[in-house]
Amino acid sequence: MSLTDTTIALLQNLIQNGCVNYLTADSGQETKNADTLEAFFAGTDVRVERYEPHPGRVSIAFTVEGTDPSAEPLTLLGHTDVVPVDEDKWTHDPFGGEIVDGRVFGRGATDMLYITAAMAACVRDVARGERPRGTLTFVGCADEEARGGLGAAWLADHADFSWANCLSEEGGSHLPAADGSDALVVVVGEKGAGQRRLTVHGDAGHGSAPFGRDMAVAKIAEVARRVAAIEPDLRSDDIWEGYVRAWKFDPDTEAALLAGSGYDAFGQLESYSHAMSHLTISPTVLRAGGAINVLPSVAWMELDIRPLPGQTQEEIDALLRDALGEIADDVEITHLITEDGSVSPTSGPLYDAILSTFNEFFPDVPVVPTIAAGGSDLRFARRKGGVGYGFALHGRGETLGSVLGELHSHDESAAVEDVDLTVRAYRSLIRRFVGA
């Protein structure tokens, strides 16, 4: 069986295990995918380490020791959990792993089980041959979809593998440049988290007599209106400017985008491109009351806020208070999950290996560094002093927009062509970087 066929079969098994993360401690049950991966590596000369910080929430690492302790190590971080599904919205079995019209369907097919399967297949292939010069590790991480508290965040403090050079999701899709030329995306960083809960208080009372009452619901509605009206400033840097120029727009469009307007020029990537260049604030949860005949005395809303690398939590609070104006003193601001954004350099041995690998498959195509709007396990590598990049490879027809559109979608799928390209690209990069 070819390496690609092996990867597709493993991908189907991982999908079928249905390790759904409902953002609760007892969900996920990634032990099923850990068991599948451990069976997959059976009979190979790898060091296997299982980590279980909570029952059923298993991450598993497979390490092929290098022959040269001074050689650069490489760690591949693939997560094994997936997000929930609305089954009635799917036309394919979300946990079937069916192949239809050249695509593998199933929850997690794109996010990120096709990459996880490719990583595992390539590391097993190395383990069956001569030892590499540098140490190579593949990790099936639990709990990535809940920001890694029972996965990579825990592993960063307890696991015994290198974080110096890491690869994970997502990269290698194409930018649809305005002149029809090609460009490849590599993810070099990601936004952080600045989650907030905004709470207001009012008068309790009977719903039949609202006159003269200080209404918490009315107050939180005004808070929501003011927050929704916030328009953070453009944050321009070399990555943003390089991204805009890679599209090869006409001079007027390019100038407008560099100044922070005209995002509709990006088409399907309008929202992503805006998020890549701005702090974003999304009101996502609103709560007040419990009985229809009782005036609630408290109401709150929660905000999914994503800062860019370099933007601080203090800046976020100042922005919120400025928007709230004269009612700011009546609003309690509570920090929920807060994490700084992170970015790796567009230079160095691993980055150069990525460029060389892309050039092998798509000769002379420019590579465009980008910042992910969401999170990944790579931020933990960066916090520990390592570098981390999103790496995969897609066919020419798979744009950054089409790949992002698959994430968490109904009928999520990955193209068989992309599975093949990704496994071959990983095998090539591994050979290039650790001498396997």
Side-chain angles (χ1 to χ4, degrees):
M1 184 181 290
S2 72
L3 200 58
T4 296
D5 290 339
T6 297
T7 301
I8 290 172
L10 178 59
L11 168 60
Q12 291 175 301
N13 289 342
L14 296 175
I15 290 171
Q16 289 160 2
N17 284 336
C19 296
V20 179
N21 191 336
Y22 291 98
L23 312 190
T24 61
D26 293 327
S27 66
Q29 293 301 301
E30 295 91 342
T31 185
K32 293 178 289 185
N33 275 338
D35 291 346
T36 293
L37 290 169
E38 190 163 9
F40 182 77
F41 276 89
T44 61
D45 185 19
V46 295
R47 184 175 76 248
V48 181
E49 296 164 294
R50 291 175 70 104
Y51 304 95
E52 191 170 9
H54 185 85
R57 310 306 300 274
V58 177
S59 296
I60 189 164
F62 305 89
T63 298
V64 184
E65 293 291 345
T67 59
D68 181 357
S70 66
E72 291 280 358
L74 179 62
T75 302
L76 312 179
L77 300 172
H79 72 78
T80 59
D81 61 325
V82 302
V83 297
V85 299
D86 295 322
E87 291 201 38
D88 60 336
K89 302 291 179 63
W90 284 63
T91 60
H92 299 274
D93 180 355
F95 302 108
E98 304 168 84
I99 300 178
V100 180
D101 296 330
R103 301 189 70 87
V104 183
F105 284 84
R107 175 54 87 217
T110 293
D111 185 13
M112 64 171 284
L113 296 180
Y114 85 99
I115 303 176
T116 300
M119 291 172 168
C122 290
V123 172
R124 190 181 75 166
D125 191 54
V126 172
R128 287 175 164 176
E130 295 183 6
R131 287 172 59 192
R133 185 178 67 256
T135 295
L136 175 65
T137 300
F138 159 65
V139 189
C141 297
D143 203 36
E144 190 274 344
E145 297 293 355
R147 301 196 69 84
L150 296 172
W154 190 90
L155 293 172
D157 293 329
H158 298 90
D160 183 25
F161 54 77
S162 174
W163 296 84
N165 301 289
C166 293
L167 298 175
S168 190
E169 57 186 343
E170 168 73 64
S173 55
H174 301 258
L175 281 186
D179 66 354
S181 63
D182 194 10
L184 279 163
V185 167
V186 58
V187 181
V188 300
E190 62 193 65
K191 301 179 81 173
Q195 296 177 0
R196 297 293 189 272
R197 179 181 293 128
L198 307 186
T199 305
V200 298
H201 298 273
D203 296 332
H206 201 286
S208 65
F211 183 76
R213 303 285 190 178
D214 183 19
M215 294 189 186
V217 169
K219 292 168 74 172
I220 201 65
E222 178 60 16
V223 169
R225 187 191 69 79
R226 296 189 185 198
V227 167
I230 296 174
E231 296 184 0
D233 293 334
L234 169 75
R235 213 287 295 276
S236 184
D237 58 14
D238 290 344
I239 293 175
W240 171 245
E241 292 175 6
Y243 173 78
V244 171
R245 293 192 171 103
W247 283 79
K248 299 183 179 179
F249 292 119
D250 64 83
D252 289 343
T253 300
E254 181 177 289
L257 290 166
L258 291 173
S261 64
Y263 282 80
D264 58 339
F266 291 115
Q268 186 181 15
L269 286 167
E270 178 181 9
S271 294
Y272 165 79
S273 301
H274 183 273
M276 183 180 162
S277 55
H278 291 76
L279 179 142
T280 56
I281 302 174
S282 296
T284 53
V285 177
L286 189 62
R287 295 282 187 270
I292 197 169
N293 62 342
V294 177
L295 296 173
S297 61
V298 63
W300 71 91
M301 65 183 301
E302 292 178 348
L303 309 174
D304 182 5
I305 302 177
R306 305 291 178 117
L308 286 157
Q311 294 179 322
T312 68
Q313 302 299 323
E314 291 76 16
E315 289 178 58
I316 294 172
D317 287 338
L319 186 63
L320 292 173
R321 292 200 172 279
D322 183 63
L324 293 171
E326 78 282 0
I327 66 172
D329 290 342
D330 295 329
V331 181
E332 299 172 4
I333 300 178
T334 303
H335 288 209
L336 303 177
I337 294 176
T338 59
E339 296 182 297
D340 292 338
S342 64
V343 63
S344 294
T346 54
S347 61
L350 183 54
Y351 190 78
D352 291 345
I354 291 171
L355 297 186
S356 296
T357 302
F358 279 163
N359 190 64
E360 176 185 340
F361 289 87
F362 291 93
D364 302 320
V365 171
V367 176
V368 183
T370 62
I371 298 291
S376 80
D377 289 333
L378 289 170
R379 67 189 184 278
F380 301 107
R382 299 186 189 109
R383 288 179 195 171
K384 291 180 73 68
V387 296
Y389 302 98
F391 179 74
L393 194 58
H394 297 267
R396 180 69 172 85
E398 291 285 5
T399 67
L400 177 59
S402 67
V403 173
L404 292 178
E406 289 291 334
L407 305 183
H408 300 188
S409 67
H410 306 313
D411 281 336
E412 179 183 353
S413 66
V416 169
E417 178 189 13
D418 294 344
V419 179
D420 174 63
L421 281 168
T422 295
V423 72
R424 290 195 289 127
Y426 263 99
R427 191 65 188 87
S428 177
L429 186 145
I430 290 168
R431 185 179 297 110
R432 180 173 284 112
F433 193 74
V434 297

